[in-house]
Amino acid sequence: MAASSIADIRRDYKLQSLDENDIAADPITQFTRWWEEAIASHIDEVNAMTLATVTPEGLPAARIVLLKGYDEQGFVFFTNYKSRKGMELEANPHAALVFFWKELERQVRIEGTVSKTSTAESDDYFESRPAGSRIGAWASPQSRVVANRTEIETNYSKYEQQFGYENIPRPENWGGYIVKPSVIEFWQGRGSRLHDRLRYTASGAHKWKRERLAP
């Protein structure tokens, strides 16, 4: 596609607006409102979110992960602790998340500190996964260089034979993270690129400052 054709791709957002008088006092309540509307809209992979981390040198990296739970404490996802994102979070436990629900012309941006979930939480979620995914957690040395696809498939067969499909234990290097938000921004697309952006910033225990940002 020619550069000029790419530049011509645009969409004017007109579905909804976001007003200070209509938002909740705290961002988790507001997120729940938008989450329930996203669920009701039957958005594919509604829990897909971009996770951005940085290296100790300040180099950024981003990828899509899946939200697996949230509450007032934060937003939870699971992964291999020895993956690139896991190693970056170990060195710098700060991250950003972005949800983009194009069907509703909405984004939610989250920034905060990251810590591991409890062993019990990681165990409970791991046990809820399909058996193939649990075996896959053992088989894949996530983010490391491998010789070819056959290496991964050989690993999978090895653990499949070792564990079968029952009572597959959770690898010690696999588990959950929770992103405790310090900033949450709600973005509603509007016409002429004059989008609504309302930001919550933590200002003490269970207190949030609300501000409108220029689009």
Side-chain angles (χ1 to χ4, degrees), residues 42-61:
H42 304 290
I43 294 171
D44 287 339
E45 298 282 16
V46 65
N47 60 332
M49 57 187 184
T50 300
L51 166 68
T53 57
V54 293
T55 67
E57 296 75 29
L59 301 175

Side-chain angles (χ1 to χ4, degrees), residues 79-81 126 129-142 152 155-156 159 163 168-175:
T79 191
N80 187 316
Y81 290 143
F126 189 78
R129 303 180 88 208
S133 297
R134 284 179 279 161
I135 294 170
W138 284 91
S140 175
Q142 193 176 113
I152 300 298
N155 281 347
Y156 187 94
Y159 288 111
F163 297 124
I168 303 167
R170 177 179 62 87
E172 290 186 2
N173 65 338
W174 192 99

Side-chain angles (χ1 to χ4, degrees), residues 150-167:
T150 301
E151 181 178 336
I152 300 298
E153 293 174 348
T154 299
N155 281 347
Y156 187 94
S157 296
K158 179 182 72 173
Y159 288 111
E160 185 179 34
Q161 293 174 13
Q162 178 177 339
F163 297 124
Y165 285 89
E166 301 291 338
N167 301 317

Side-chain angles (χ1 to χ4, degrees), residues 18-34 72 182-186 198-211:
L18 185 62
D19 187 84
E20 288 87 341
N21 295 322
D22 298 328
I23 63 172
D26 73 89
I28 301 304
T29 300
Q30 182 62 34
F31 181 85
T32 298
R33 290 178 182 175
W34 275 21
E72 292 78 9
S182 55
V183 177
I184 303 183
E185 179 190 323
F186 295 86
L198 297 181
R199 180 179 65 188
Y200 294 76
T201 305
S203 60
H206 307 295
K207 294 182 179 180
W208 295 90
K209 179 181 180 181
R210 292 180 293 174
E211 301 169 299

